[in-house]
Amino acid sequence: MARVIIDNKDGPTQKYLLIFGAFVSVYIQEMFRFAYYKLLKKASEGLKSINPGETAPSMRLLAYVSGLGFGIMSGVFSFVNTLSDSLGPGTVGIHGDSPQFFLYSAFMTLVIILLHVFWGIVFFDGCEKKKWGILLIVLLTHLLVSAQTFISSYYGINLASAFIILVLMGTWAFLAAGGSCRSLKLCL
């Protein structure tokens, strides 16, 4: 869309439009995550009022499913964007300088899918506990991972920093979902 808007004339303007688009996209995704949480919460309460004897699915389980859904959608979009880059003509990637772009894109897609699962769990936990700062942290880490490509042209560094965020968010999601060292030992 950025190329069409500026008629393929101005590279820096195109880059700034892409950055703006990424920020708007992340904000909209997180707003949808919140709306989805509210919808699931209302549905759960409605199920409890209709069938008081039956237990509704836990919000932890719904957070996992929601995060997985967001992750798969994000992964599909990433995959389609990468495929469109491979068809040419033009440069590969945003900066056009890495022959390993497709390899990095594949790994980054996997990281993004897992991050969405973890963000979903942490986000829903923050909503349940009414700790709104947690939602802000999810939004900011989502923005950071999405903006890395614009900040640095080194895809390996971007992947490594996204992986660090993945490990931190995964640990947080594990603890928010009720995980402990004892349960991890039992699982292993």
Side-chain angles (χ1 to χ4, degrees):
M1 280 177 51
R3 287 184 200 139
V4 172
I5 290 172
I6 61 167
D7 198 26
N8 285 330
K9 291 180 184 170
D10 189 15
T13 304
Q14 184 179 17
K15 182 179 177 181
Y16 293 126
L17 281 172
L18 289 171
I19 292 170
F20 177 73
F23 282 109
V24 169
S25 173
V26 167
Y27 181 74
I28 289 171
Q29 287 176 40
E30 294 306 326
M31 293 309 303
F32 272 108
R33 193 184 314 267
F34 184 72
Y36 195 60
Y37 165 80
K38 290 296 224 179
L39 178 71
L40 290 175
K41 188 74 171 169
K42 286 284 186 193
S44 180
E45 291 168 0
L47 287 172
K48 286 179 188 175
S49 68
I50 292 172
N51 289 329
E54 301 245 351
T55 57
S58 72
M59 287 309 285
R60 285 182 180 168
L61 177 65
L62 295 174
Y64 170 75
V65 172
S66 168
L68 187 60
F70 272 80
I72 289 171
M73 286 187 302
S74 180
V76 167
F77 279 107
S78 176
F79 183 68
V80 168
N81 287 338
T82 302
L83 282 178
S84 70
D85 278 345
S86 72
L87 297 176
T91 60
V92 174
I94 292 174
H95 304 286
D97 56 354
S98 176
Q100 290 82 24
F101 172 74
F102 295 111
L103 183 63
Y104 290 132
S105 291
F107 283 115
M108 186 61 96
T109 298
L110 294 173
V111 168
I112 292 292
I113 290 170
L114 288 172
L115 272 171
H116 273 291
V117 173
F118 300 153
W119 284 329
I121 293 168
V122 170
F123 190 96
F124 276 39
D125 185 59
C127 288
E128 284 293 297
K129 295 177 179 174
K130 297 188 185 324
K131 293 185 177 179
W132 309 118
I134 292 174
L135 278 59
L136 181 63
I137 291 170
V138 170
L139 174 69
L140 292 176
T141 56
H142 193 169
L143 281 170
L144 177 63
V145 170
S146 296
Q148 289 184 110
T149 309
F150 303 117
I151 296 169
S152 170
S153 63
Y154 299 106
Y155 294 113
I157 293 171
N158 295 339
L159 183 60
S161 61
F163 187 77
I164 290 168
I165 293 170
L166 172 74
V167 170
L168 294 172
M169 292 304 295
T171 303
W172 189 353
F174 175 74
L175 296 172
S180 65
C181 290
R182 183 176 181 274
S183 64
L184 186 59
K185 286 178 188 176
L186 290 173
C187 178
L188 297 175

